[in-house]
Amino acid sequence: MSGVPHDDWDPDPAWRNPAVRMADVLQSPPPRRVDWRVAAVVLVVLAALIAVPAILALVVPDRETPQSAGSVIELSAAGTEPDTVNFAGVDGWDRRATGDGSAALLTRDDSVLAVNVVNGVTDFGAAADWRLKVLGVEGFPAEWDRDWELWNRHGFAGPVCRGTEAKGVCAILGNKNLVVTLVLHGDDATLDQLDQIVDTLQVEQ
């Protein structure tokens, strides 16, 4: 699996590793007010900057932590309480260091799982649309799958999206003031696999 949308997408070879690309997915918080003219400018700026983390990734030693049975991953985004979520269902995955407490990146074989939380959301619909646009800028163009929505018993719910140029599925879920974006990227990625992780997602009070 190349994980590259098309051959001349980016000359930086670091971006040909899907795990490197996905390390920077989902980092930009949604705007509190949706001004799409401003948003378009921000997206252009992001597009110009996304190569920088990839270059840095080449010189930073890669650290992976195997996830044992029952492992729980905690993510926090500074701001309004509650500000922390956790999830499980990643037994057998390797967690890679991101340097960002609001994001997790895990790999297993040729699959990549990226999870991110943002805080301070008051308009979930606008925030979800923004997160979908950010996915496209940062290496995983996707579109809504209007036939599906995921939810769990812990209060998370939101729409499903699917990669348009690279294989994979994603979901953008809201609960209280938090939005969590999950992306499962890989040739064998399925919605059922992602749903197993979503089922464990919860807010820490």
Side-chain angles (χ1 to χ4, degrees):
M1 179 192 69
S2 69
V4 180
H6 47 76
D7 292 340
D8 59 353
W9 176 60
D10 193 310
D12 186 344
W15 287 102
R16 298 189 181 277
N17 182 335
V20 173
R21 294 206 320 275
M22 294 301 288
D24 299 292
V25 167
L26 324 172
Q27 300 304 306
S28 300
R32 291 181 179 274
R33 294 183 179 179
V34 180
D35 183 334
W36 295 117
R37 290 174 300 179
V38 174
V41 173
V42 172
L43 288 171
V44 170
V45 172
L46 283 172
L49 293 177
I50 56 176
V52 175
I55 294 172
L56 293 177
L58 292 177
V59 297
V60 176
D62 191 25
R63 300 194 305 275
E64 294 186 353
T65 304
Q67 302 300 292
S68 58
S71 294
V72 175
I73 293 177
E74 181 180 288
L75 302 176
S76 296
T80 308
E81 296 285 345
D83 60 4
T84 302
V85 301
N86 66 55
F87 65 94
V90 291
D91 302 359
W93 289 75
D94 292 321
R95 185 177 183 182
R96 297 180 57 148
T98 65
D100 182 353
S102 68
L105 178 71
L106 300 101
T107 58
R108 184 177 65 185
D109 300 326
D110 292 330
S111 296
V112 180
L113 172 67
V115 183
N116 167 268
V117 59
V118 295
N119 199 341
V121 174
T122 58
D123 184 336
F124 173 73
D129 286 340
W130 173 253
R131 303 306 297 166
L132 189 71
K133 290 179 181 292
V134 171
L135 283 178
V137 170
E138 296 184 336
F140 188 77
E143 62 184 8
W144 296 124
D145 183 339
R146 300 295 180 182
D147 295 330
W148 290 93
E149 180 176 283
L150 295 183
W151 58 274
N152 69 18
R153 65 187 184 279
H154 305 299
F156 276 97
V160 167
C161 46
R162 297 181 184 272
T164 58
E165 297 179 4
K167 293 183 178 179
V169 293
C170 48
I172 301 177
L173 310 177
N175 190 351
K176 304 181 187 296
N177 51 291
L178 302 172
V179 168
V180 176
T181 307
L182 305 96
V183 177
L184 182 59
H185 175 30
D187 285 343
D188 299 321
T190 67
L191 188 57
D192 285 342
Q193 292 173 332
L194 188 63
D195 192 27
Q196 292 175 16
I197 297 169
V198 168
D199 191 52
T200 71
L201 182 66
Q202 60 185 320
V203 174
E204 290 189 4
Q205 301 292 343

